[in-house]
Amino acid sequence: MNHDVLDEPVLRANPDAPAAPATRIPDALLPAPRPELPARRPPPSGKSVRVAIVHDWLVTYAGAERVLEQIIACFPDADLFSLVDFLDDRAFIRNKPVTTSFIQNLPLARTKYRAMLPLMPLAIEQLDVSAYDVVISSSHAVAKGVLTGPDQVHISYVHSPIRYAWDLQHQYLKQSNLINGPRSVIARLILHYIRNWDIRTSNSVDEFVANSAFIARRIRKVYQRDAQVIFPPVDVDAFLVNEHKEDFYLTASRMVPYKKIDLIVEAFAKMPGRRLVVIGDGPDMQKIRAKATPNVEIMGYQPFAVLHDQMRRAKAFVFAAEEDFGISVVEAQACGTPVIAYGKGGALETVRDLYDARPTGMFFDEQSTASIIAAVEAFDDNRGRFSPADCRANAEQFSARYFRERFFEHVKEKVPALRNATLPAFDATPPSDGALKAGSIGVLAIDQSGVLGGAELSLLEVVKTLRARIQVALFDDGPFRTALDEAGVAVDVLDAGALRHVRKQGGKLPKGPALTGLASLVRAVTARARKADVIYANTQRAMVIGALAGRLARKPVVWHLRDIVSAEHFGRKQLAIIKWCAKFGLAHVVANSEASARAFSDLTGFDRKRIDVVFNGISAAPFDALRGVPQRSLRTRLGLPQDAFLVGSFSRLAHWKGQHVMLEAMLHNPRMHAVFVGAALFGEDDEYEAGLRAFVEANGLAERVHFLGFQHDVAACMCAVDVVAHTSITPEPFGRVIVEGMLALRPVVAARAGGVLEIVEDGVDGLLCEPGDAGALAQTLDNLQADVALRERIVANGHRTAVRRFGTANYVAGVERILKNVAGQAGKRGKLKKAAVA
C-alpha cells in the first residue's frame, strides 16, 4: 500500500457509508448565472457517449490520483490524457494507455517536469480531445485548459486553482528564494502569464466541481464561477476504530514547509509532559529532528500498517496545515481518533468542533506554537466529550463509494445523453492488460542466451505470469532453460550454430556457417511466430532474428531494450544492424531506463511514441527469506572472513563493469575486503579476469580479495557483505544489482552515469561516485564504514525505493500492457486490410 504522501489514502469501496447532503456555495454569494445557450447537439442515435479524462501529470499515486482513480471507475471505457506519464504503478489507472504531450519526450522530463510550467499551457492545448462527447478534467494545474468545442461538455474537477500562481505566489517565491534579482523578475512574469491564461481557459469549462467549499470559494474568487462541491474520496474501510486510546499525540505528513510539522514539534518541545509521535519524511526532516526533545519521537517514513496502528492508538491527531481538504484528518477520524486542527481550509468541513453536539475535534486559530499549546491543553480539558463512534460516523460520509455516486450523478445531470446510464459496478481489482486470458493473445518470447544473466532474470518474471499464453525460444541451452522448465513454461532450445560466436562489441559480419545458422534460426522462429500474436525479443541478437521472422510471419515485434546502444557498448557494424532493424521490423521498444530509450532514439530516429520505459522488476522474496539468517552463517557458508568489512561486486567480470576500479580502491583503503560474485561470460572476457587475478597477486591483496565465481544464490551473497558496490566505467543501461542491494538491506555505492541516475538519489538512498575514480570510491567506502548512522539511513531509504519503484508487479504489468496493445493494433490493421481487399 502506497503512502508516499502520508495524508492521502489508498482507495477502496465502502458500500456501507451513509449518504450526506450536497455541499454548495450559497446562491446569494455567487455571480449571476450565465445566459442559457441552445442545447448541444447530442451524439447520433445509437452511438455510445465517448468520454475523455484529462489529468495534469501522472508521476505518482497521491491525493489527486486517488480522485482520478474513482473518476476512471465511474467511466471505465474512457480514454486517458496527461501532460506526462511516468507511472511505475499503473494499477490505479486500470492499466490504461495514456496519450501524452510533447513534454513527455523532452530531456529530463521525468524528474524536472514541474520546471516546465511555462510550456504546460501550450502542451495541454495540443492534446486532441475533439473526438469525444464529454471531457472530464482532473486539474490542480493546467488540465482544465484542454481545448473543447461547442458540442462537447467539459466538466472540471478542480483540486485547486494553480496555488503558486494565485494566493500562494508570494509564499512560493519566498520558498524558492526568488524574492529579488533577474530570476525573480522572470518568475513573476511567467506567473503573470499563467494567471492570464488560467482565467481565459476557465471560460471553456462548462461545469466546475470543487473538492471542498474552501476550493469553491477560491474558484469563485479567481474564475468568478460557481462550483458544485463533491468531497474527494477517503478509504475509510482501510482504517479500523479503536476505542482504547493511549497517552500520546500523533502527527503524520510529508515534511515540507506548508505542512508546519516544525511548529507542532516546537509546541510539544515546550510541553515536556506530553508525548508526540511524528511519522513522515521529506526535505524538512533534518530541521524538524533538530527541534525534537525527548518527549517527541520522530519515526520517519513508515509503511501503512505502522501509520494505521499509531493512528488508532493516539489520543488525538494534530494537524497544522492549511489544506484544501486534508485527507489525513478524515483518516484519523475513521480510526475513532479526534483531531486538533488549524481552523482554516478544508479541515473546517471535515471536523465537527466543540460547538457541535457530537464533536470530533477542535480548532486553533493561528499557525503558531502558542496557539497549538493552548489547543492541546483545551483538548485535554474536554477529552470526555469526544467519542470514537462519533469520529467514525463523521468520517464515513467521505467514502469512495459516496464520491462515485455523487460524481456520476452530477455528470449524468449535465450530459443528457447519459440520463439513462447506470454507475458501473466497482471492481477493487484492476484489470491486468497482461492477464492474457485464453482467447486474448499469444506471445513468442525469444532470447539468445541460456545463461541466467540480468536480462534473463527479468524475462523470467514476465513468463511466470504469462505462462499459459507464452512460448519461449532460446538460442542456447543452460541454467535459464532449467529455470523456465521449473516455472512450468513451454521452452524450445534452437540451434544457433556458428552465430552464437558473434559479439555485440564488433567483429566480422556473419558469413558462411554463421549465415547458415542465421537462416536456420529465422526459419525456426518464423514457424513458431505464425501461431502467436506478437514476438517479444529479450536481447539484441534475438531482436535481429525476431525482426526478420516477424516480417516473414507478418507479426509485430517488440524489443525489450536492455542496453545503451552506443559506441561504448556496441561495434560500428552492430549499431548499423540495430538501425536497420528499427526501420525494417520493430513495432515497439520497451526500454529498461530513460537513458537506454534516449540512446536508441538518438541512434535510430525511432518514434518516441513507440518507446516505453519500464523499469526492471526485482522480486524481494529471496531477500526477505534471509531476514532471520545471521550474517555469520552466510559468511561461513561462502568461506568469507567473519570480522572483515566486505564490499561486494555482483556482475560478470568484464572491463566495462569496472572490477579493476574496486581493486585500485583497495590500495587507498587498507581496511576493506573485496568480494567478486560473477565470472567472465561468453568466453570473451577471460583475459580480463586473468588480469584482475594478476593485479591481486602483484599488489599482495590475495588475503583481502575473494573471487566466488558464478553463484546461484545472489541474495545470500549480498546479505553476507557490508556494502554493495557498482563500479561500471561506462554508462549502465539500468543497474539491477543496485536494486538487489537495496532489497538486501545493504548500502549501495554506484557509478554516477546512465540508468543509475534514475535509480539512486545521491545521499538519500545510495551514494554516487564518478565512474572510474578509485580514490573517490575508496573515500566513500571509508566514510560508510565509519558512519553507522549514514549506513542505516541509506539502507532504510534504499529499501523503500526498491519496493516502491522496482517491484515485479509494476514491471510485469507494464510489459503485459505493451504486448497486448501492440498485438491489438496489429490485429486492427489486419482487419482493415482484409476489409479493403473485400
Side-chain angles (χ1 to χ4, degrees):
M1 185 171 291
N2 187 338
H3 259 263
D4 183 47
V5 180
L6 290 173
D7 57 346
E8 293 160 337
V10 175
L11 299 176
R12 296 179 186 167
N14 179 12
D16 301 322
T23 303
R24 193 178 180 92
I25 301 300
D27 292 340
L29 299 178
L30 300 173
R34 295 183 294 175
E36 290 293 328
L37 297 175
R40 292 178 175 82
R41 176 176 55 82
S45 178
K47 187 176 181 180
S48 61
V49 177
R50 296 160 299 180
V51 180
I53 300 173
V54 184
H55 193 65
D56 288 304
W57 46 74
L58 291 167
V59 296
T60 188
Y61 182 50
E65 288 69 39
R66 289 167 168 82
V67 173
L68 174 65
E69 178 179 38
Q70 298 303 314
I71 294 175
I72 292 173
C74 292
F75 302 98
D77 294 328
D79 291 333
L80 188 55
F81 295 78
S82 180
L83 290 175
V84 297
D85 172 18
F86 295 121
L87 288 175
D88 297 322
D89 182 358
R90 311 188 67 81
F92 77 92
I93 63 170
R94 311 190 77 75
N95 294 313
K96 282 181 173 291
V98 180
T99 300
T100 57
S101 74
F102 64 82
I103 293 178
Q104 177 83 18
N105 299 321
L106 294 180
L108 304 178
R110 176 179 286 272
T111 56
K112 302 296 183 182
Y113 63 93
R114 291 180 186 273
M116 299 174 186
L117 176 65
L119 297 176
M120 288 182 181
L122 174 63
I124 203 72
E125 291 173 351
Q126 306 314 305
L127 294 179
D128 184 3
V129 296
S130 59
Y132 300 87
D133 306 300
V134 179
V135 176
I136 300 171
S137 59
S138 165
S139 183
H140 57 80
V142 299
K144 72 165 185 56
V146 68
L147 300 180
T148 55
D151 290 322
Q152 294 176 289
V153 179
H154 181 185
I155 298 172
S156 184
Y157 188 98
V158 176
H159 308 279
S160 175
I162 310 175
R163 297 182 186 91
Y164 36 85
W166 290 101
D167 49 318
L168 297 185
Q169 171 187 289
H170 300 293
Q171 179 180 331
Y172 162 75
L173 292 172
K174 183 178 180 181
Q175 291 174 354
S176 302
N177 196 26
L178 293 171
I179 300 299
N180 300 302
R183 293 175 63 243
S184 175
V185 173
I186 294 172
R188 293 172 192 272
L189 287 172
I190 290 172
L191 293 177
H192 177 73
Y193 154 68
I194 292 291
R195 283 192 294 274
N196 288 337
W197 177 87
D198 197 30
I199 292 174
R200 176 177 60 78
T201 57
S202 68
N203 294 321
S204 69
V205 176
D206 296 291
E207 293 290 333
F208 279 106
V209 180
N211 69 354
S212 66
F214 176 65
I215 291 302
R217 291 194 295 274
R218 269 186 173 169
I219 290 172
R220 182 163 58 85
K221 180 77 172 180
V222 173
Y223 306 140
Q224 295 298 298
R225 297 280 299 280
D226 62 336
Q228 178 74 37
V229 175
I230 300 178
F231 293 120
V234 179
D235 184 10
V236 295
D237 279 355
F239 297 85
L240 304 176
V241 174
N242 183 13
E243 297 280 348
H244 306 288
K245 302 300 180 181
E246 300 179 17
D247 191 20
F248 71 92
Y249 297 82
L250 172 70
T251 188
S253 174
R254 176 84 172 146
M255 292 185 179
V256 292
Y258 87 94
K259 295 289 188 178
K260 305 298 183 184
I261 302 298
D262 57 332
L263 286 182
I264 299 173
V265 172
E266 286 178 10
F268 276 84
K270 297 178 180 179
M271 297 185 288
R274 293 183 170 92
R275 179 172 167 240
L276 173 70
V277 173
V278 182
I279 293 179
D281 202 349
D284 282 0
M285 170 62 90
Q286 295 307 315
K287 181 175 74 172
I288 291 168
R289 281 193 185 277
K291 296 181 178 182
T293 48
N295 64 311
V296 177
E297 180 183 0
I298 310 291
M299 295 184 67
Y301 167 83
Q302 295 295 324
F304 173 74
V306 176
L307 172 67
H308 183 206
D309 177 64
Q310 294 287 332
M311 198 171 268
R312 294 179 69 234
R313 295 190 290 114
K315 65 192 297 185
F317 183 82
V318 187
F319 186 79
E322 180 181 348
E323 285 279 18
D324 306 330
F325 180 70
I327 289 178
S328 62
V329 169
V330 179
E331 292 177 336
Q333 293 174 82
C335 294
T337 301
V339 176
I340 303 171
Y342 177 45
K344 291 190 72 173
L348 293 172
E349 301 166 58
T350 58
V351 178
R352 299 197 301 251
D353 67 6
L354 292 173
Y355 292 102
D356 195 281
R358 300 169 63 186
T360 63
M362 56 186 299
F363 300 114
F364 51 92
D365 297 328
E366 297 178 352
Q367 288 176 314
S368 67
T369 57
S371 189
I372 294 172
I373 290 170
V376 171
E377 291 174 347
F379 174 84
D380 276 346
D381 293 340
N382 293 275
R383 187 176 176 186
R385 294 191 57 188
F386 302 105
S387 161
D390 290 343
C391 292
R392 175 70 184 199
N394 186 51
E396 285 181 343
Q397 66 177 308
F398 304 102
S399 72
R401 181 190 64 82
Y402 183 58
F403 172 88
R404 290 195 302 275
E405 291 176 352
R406 288 283 317 283
F407 188 79
F408 189 76
E409 287 302 316
H410 183 72
V411 175
K412 281 178 58 177
E413 178 185 340
K414 304 303 176 183
V415 183
L418 289 175
R419 291 287 166 82
N420 296 323
T422 57
L423 179 64
F426 180 72
D427 181 4
T429 304
S432 170
D433 271 351
L436 300 179
K437 299 173 183 176
S440 56
I441 70 168
V443 179
L444 173 64
I446 53 178
D447 191 292
Q448 70 196 40
S449 177
V451 176
L452 268 173
E456 288 69 37
L457 289 170
S458 294
L459 176 59
L460 187 60
E461 294 295 339
V462 174
V463 299
K464 284 179 180 177
T465 301
L466 308 185
R467 61 169 62 89
R469 299 293 295 163
I470 195 167
Q471 180 183 7
V472 179
L474 304 181
F475 302 168
D476 205 354
D477 203 353
F480 185 30
R481 192 264 305 157
T482 303
L484 291 167
D485 286 339
E486 292 174 352
V489 178
V491 57
D492 290 330
V493 178
L494 310 179
D495 184 10
L499 193 65
R500 68 169 58 95
H501 301 299
V502 178
R503 303 297 173 213
K504 69 180 184 181
Q505 283 79 8
K508 296 181 180 180
L509 287 173
K511 295 179 181 179
L515 283 174
T516 302
L518 174 67
S520 175
L521 282 179
V522 171
R523 284 195 301 269
V525 171
T526 301
R528 288 161 175 78
R530 297 190 195 280
K531 302 175 184 178
D533 298 294
V534 60
I535 300 173
Y536 175 41
N538 191 52
T539 49
Q540 184 258 336
R541 204 180 316 149
M543 179 273 295
V544 176
I545 302 299
L548 295 169
R551 268 303 181 94
L552 294 173
R554 297 184 180 180
K555 302 294 181 181
V557 180
V558 175
W559 182 25
H560 203 132
L561 172 63
R562 305 182 188 276
D563 289 295
I564 293 179
V565 285
S566 67
E568 295 173 299
H569 293 273
F570 288 85
R572 180 174 56 84
K573 293 176 181 178
Q574 278 62 37
L575 292 174
I577 291 172
I578 292 172
K579 289 177 66 174
W580 179 82
C581 289
K583 295 178 181 179
F584 176 79
L586 293 185
H588 208 92
V589 171
V590 183
N592 63 354
S593 68
E594 182 63 32
S596 296
R598 186 165 52 248
F600 178 77
S601 178
D602 291 345
L603 173 72
T604 63
F606 203 74
D607 184 359
R608 279 303 300 254
K609 293 181 179 179
R610 293 192 287 143
I611 306 175
D612 277 305
V613 175
V614 179
F615 290 127
N616 288 344
I618 292 94
S619 174
F623 303 93
D624 292 342
L626 294 167
R627 289 289 176 263
V629 179
Q631 189 183 65
R632 297 184 67 84
S633 299
L634 296 175
R635 291 189 175 188
T636 298
R637 182 200 308 177
L638 296 167
L640 297 173
Q642 293 292 347
D643 300 323
F645 180 71
L646 301 183
V647 180
S649 170
F650 299 83
S651 71
R652 54 180 288 195
L653 300 182
H655 185 267
W656 76 276
K657 289 290 187 179
Q659 284 88 357
H660 60 281
V661 180
M662 174 94 81
L663 293 180
E664 291 168 6
M666 295 183 69
L667 301 180
H668 297 276
N669 187 341
R671 296 188 297 167
M672 65 172 278
H673 285 230
V675 178
F676 293 116
V677 177
L681 299 185
F682 312 121
E684 54 187 39
D685 295 303
D686 292 339
E687 290 185 8
Y688 179 70
E689 180 177 355
L692 293 177
R693 293 182 180 274
F695 184 93
V696 168
E697 291 298 327
N699 289 277
L701 300 176
E703 296 296 320
R704 294 166 49 208
V705 177
H706 313 276
F707 289 94
L708 300 188
F710 177 81
Q711 294 284 330
H712 288 283
D713 194 350
V714 173
C717 296
M718 284 193 171
C719 291
V721 303
D722 296 293
V723 178
V724 172
H726 168 277
T727 56
S728 295
I729 59 174
T730 57
E732 185 83 49
F734 177 69
R736 179 187 180 92
V737 298
I738 295 172
V739 180
E740 290 177 328
M742 292 173 171
L743 291 172
L745 297 178
R746 295 296 176 264
V748 174
V749 178
R752 191 195 309 271
V756 172
L757 298 177
E758 299 167 49
I759 303 174
V760 176
E761 183 177 354
D762 191 19
V764 176
D765 46 21
L767 298 175
L768 299 179
C769 296
E770 291 305 311
D773 191 335
L777 176 63
Q779 184 60 56
T780 301
L781 292 171
D782 191 54
N783 293 341
L784 270 178
Q785 185 175 3
D787 192 338
V788 175
L790 174 62
R791 291 204 305 271
E792 290 177 348
R793 186 176 78 248
I794 294 293
V795 164
N797 292 335
H799 187 263
R800 183 162 71 249
T801 294
V803 171
R804 286 183 178 179
R805 298 185 60 209
F806 305 106
T808 55
N810 296 338
Y811 166 70
V812 172
V815 174
E816 291 174 324
R817 171 179 56 84
I818 293 163
L819 292 175
K820 190 168 186 179
N821 286 345
V822 171
Q825 292 166 7
K828 290 178 183 178
R829 288 193 294 269
K831 290 179 181 178
L832 288 174
K833 288 181 180 179
K834 289 181 180 179
V837 172

